[in-house]
Amino acid sequence: MSTAASTIASRLAALRAELAAQNLAGFVVPLTDEHMSEYVGEYAQRLAWISGFGGSAGSAVVMHDKAAMFTDGRYTVQVRQQVPADLFAYEDVPQTSAAQWLGEIASAGQRIGYDPWLHTSAWAKQADQQLTARSAELVAVQHNPIDAVWTDRPAPSLAPLEVHDDQFAGRAHAEKRAEVAAWLAGMGADAVVIAALDSIAWLLNIRGKDVSRTPVALAFVIAHKDGSVDLFTAPQKITASVRAHLGEAVRCQPRERFAEALQAMTGQTVVVDPQSCVAAIFNALEAGGARIIEARDPTVLPRAVKNPTEIAGTTAAHVRDGAALTRFLAWFDSEAPKGGLDELSAAERLRQFRAETNSLEDLSFDTISAAGPNAALPHYRVSEETNLPITHDSIYLVDSGGQYRDGTTDVTRTLVVGTPSPEMQDRFTRVLKGHIALARAIFPAGTKGVQLDALARQHLWSAGLDYNHGTGHGVGSYLSVHEGPQRIAAAWSAQSGNDEPLQPGMILSNEPGYYKQGAYGIRIENLVLVERRSAEGAEREIMGFKELTLAPIDRRLVDVSLLTADERDWWNAYHARVANEIGPLLTDPAEQSWLQQACAPL
């Protein structure tokens, strides 16, 4: 047994002893926090601690005599590499789920624990139904058993809040709070609970450093119908400048008083988002006698539809970021053929190019720097243990982004070192054709992401190929790199969330891919802005996409004979724009020369 597997085995033994002490037969471990976040602080990395899994979506169930990991198609390979097979069974989502699995293996009389601060009420109800059918019981624990045995668990961050100036936000938080108050009046409600960290950051024009790569702060909010807000966060996080920014209408209270405040809302009508508010929030409100209305967090859609200031900001950020990425691409083209580069050194050099813009706050996620077979893992994360050299006649995939005060970026480029095989060129060109089809799409108002997804897959499908991830996700404004409610994904996707009509001002990714397990992977990703379009004789409002991302795509991987005239025109127009907008930011003549060659017409 490896050292890592031995560590996980000892942690499982400690957890099972704690479960026995709490009279529990099993425990469910999600990968989330009290805010149902996708990316969580170190203190909340319970799933990684107990299993070794490093992905961004998954869960586990630990029983006294067995354990299982639940991941979707994005992590089929990764989970098997990171989680010991002799300690955990691998279960595929959506074919099954933790609740469904428990409903199949639980025995009569067993008590299965869950932390109500880490699960939604809907999940708890589903799991309870599954277990009740087996004469077993779902138990809300008072104290998370993993926390009891994770002796060196990091404390939640106490980093100070930061003011997000109106010059970047485009709207004052007083205006946003008034908008929420008007929404509450329309709902006939007294207050709304806001638990999503990016919603809180957007509403109050604040940011933080409590979660790696995502500029948010650990907090809860109760927004009231009079426009006032109760902000629950650690007192150490409130500086004098933040206090002045928030004003008298925002009352700051210790985070520990949040549950107490919920229980005190007796007789009030309170709106709660079942997607982002955990079961414990519902439980506290019900215990206090509040009337609950389930509805979507009222900040979600306004946050997704960027205002003119945010659009101008992200446009500027993407030009700046595109120049940094272009410098990296030119450097890579020169250095990779010499040998000596590996995934870690390439990722670090790209970070340095972004840092040299002098405006980088952080990366927007851990860079996916993937050589050869590692590129076949869509959400691969490089480490010292997995680091591969970048070799000749191979593919290197780099998916990366930056957090800037004026915008968040996310871009993937697939590069070849040496000569690509005919198969590599064929697959790359099919992915490119799908990328172009989606980029060129014109669609009527009311169109949803699920209706566009097939455009990106069609050329792969025609060859019996596909990819197991969404085609496009929303992106925040100096916020989360994954932002809802908009998304472009297939109807079968476990992560679909693709029933939100696209609106002008929304930002999405366009990122079809292809992955040959054990060999190579391909993805081409640009961020795009939904815009209104005009067409002679149009009888309905129509929209399309404008590319925000500006950086060359590797022409050596393109089989030009497979492109139509319209596709070549798109390529040439896009690269002409890249040359015109990125070129002036490059001061090195060698970089300028490389860019001109990379952007020459097909």
Side-chain angles (χ1 to χ4, degrees), residues 503-533:
Q503 296 187 34
M506 287 181 169
I507 297 172
L508 298 104
S509 64
N510 172 1
E511 52 179 308
Y514 169 76
Y515 310 92
K516 185 172 184 178
Q517 186 172 333
Y520 62 88
I522 292 164
R523 187 161 64 251
I524 304 170
E525 177 187 17
N526 283 351
L527 297 192
V528 295
L529 174 71
V530 182
E531 292 187 321
R532 288 185 176 86
R533 294 289 170 82

Side-chain angles (χ1 to χ4, degrees), residues 22-285:
Q22 294 194 28
N23 191 27
L24 297 172
F27 186 67
V28 184
V29 189
L31 200 174
T32 190
D33 59 11
E34 303 91 331
H35 311 274
M36 298 307 296
S37 306
E38 177 183 13
Y39 299 109
V40 301
E42 291 298 318
Y43 81 98
Q45 294 280 357
R46 297 177 179 92
L47 183 63
W49 184 83
I50 197 64
S51 71
F53 179 63
S56 62
S59 62
V61 177
V62 178
M63 306 290 288
H64 283 302
D65 59 345
K66 62 175 68 73
M69 280 290 307
F70 301 84
T71 56
D72 61 33
R74 295 172 294 172
Y75 298 105
T76 301
V77 177
Q78 182 176 337
V79 71
R80 286 161 173 79
Q81 292 179 340
Q82 296 178 332
V83 180
D86 56 342
L87 299 177
F88 288 84
Y90 307 124
E91 299 290 340
D92 296 325
V93 177
Q95 288 79 8
T96 188
S97 66
Q100 184 177 337
W101 186 80
L102 283 167
E104 294 170 354
I105 63 97
S107 302
Q110 286 189 322
R111 302 173 76 248
I112 308 299
Y114 81 104
D115 187 337
W117 285 99
L118 302 178
H119 295 270
T120 64
S121 284
W123 181 91
K125 290 174 183 176
Q126 180 190 20
D128 183 62
Q129 291 171 356
Q130 294 277 359
L131 289 168
T132 299
R134 303 279 295 191
S135 299
E137 181 184 1
L138 183 69
V139 179
V141 300
Q142 292 294 316
H143 304 287
N144 192 304
I146 288 185
D147 296 353
V149 298
W150 187 359
T151 55
D152 58 350
R153 176 172 167 248
S157 167
L158 295 177
L161 295 175
E162 300 175 354
V163 175
H164 189 57
D165 290 335
D166 291 358
Q167 71 178 90
F168 301 120
R171 298 174 63 194
H173 70 85
E175 179 184 346
K176 296 177 181 180
R177 288 188 286 104
E179 189 175 86
V180 171
W183 179 85
L184 284 169
M187 295 287 288
D190 297 296
V192 56
V193 177
I194 299 178
L197 299 182
D198 48 358
S199 291
I200 293 168
W202 179 87
L203 175 65
L204 297 179
N205 287 350
I206 54 176
R207 297 295 188 265
K209 295 188 180 300
D210 293 346
V211 178
S212 176
R213 312 308 193 201
T214 307
V216 294
L218 296 174
F220 289 101
V221 152
I222 301 176
H224 302 274
K225 64 181 179 182
D226 64 357
S228 68
V229 160
D230 287 298
L231 172 65
F232 299 86
T233 192
Q236 300 94 319
K237 304 174 78 62
I238 306 296
T239 64
S241 62
V242 168
R243 179 65 274 175
H245 162 76
L246 293 174
E248 294 183 1
V250 179
R251 297 175 289 271
C252 298
Q253 302 192 45
R255 183 179 167 94
E256 293 75 18
R257 292 184 185 172
F258 176 59
E260 172 188 327
L262 295 174
Q263 293 175 353
M265 300 182 79
T266 306
Q268 295 190 45
T269 299
V270 183
V271 180
V272 185
D273 186 338
Q275 297 296 316
S276 58
C277 289
V278 295
I281 292 174
F282 283 83
N283 296 344
L285 288 168

Side-chain angles (χ1 to χ4, degrees), residues 313-325:
T314 198
T315 299
H318 276 85
V319 173
R320 188 187 317 121
D321 191 76
L325 178 57

Side-chain angles (χ1 to χ4, degrees), residues 447-483:
T447 298
K448 302 172 182 179
V450 67
Q451 295 170 275
L452 299 177
D453 183 76
L455 294 176
R457 299 179 191 266
Q458 58 182 314
H459 300 286
L460 291 165
W461 283 353
S462 67
L465 309 170
D466 204 356
Y467 51 93
N468 289 326
H469 59 73
T471 299
H473 57 82
V475 178
S477 181
Y478 188 44
L479 273 176
S480 178
V481 75
H482 290 164
E483 177 180 88

Side-chain angles (χ1 to χ4, degrees), residues 39 213 363-368 399-401 409-411 481 525:
Y39 299 109
R213 312 308 193 201
L363 302 182
S364 57
F365 55 97
D366 290 336
T367 297
I368 299 173
D399 185 347
S400 66
T409 70
D410 180 6
V411 49
V481 75
E525 177 187 17

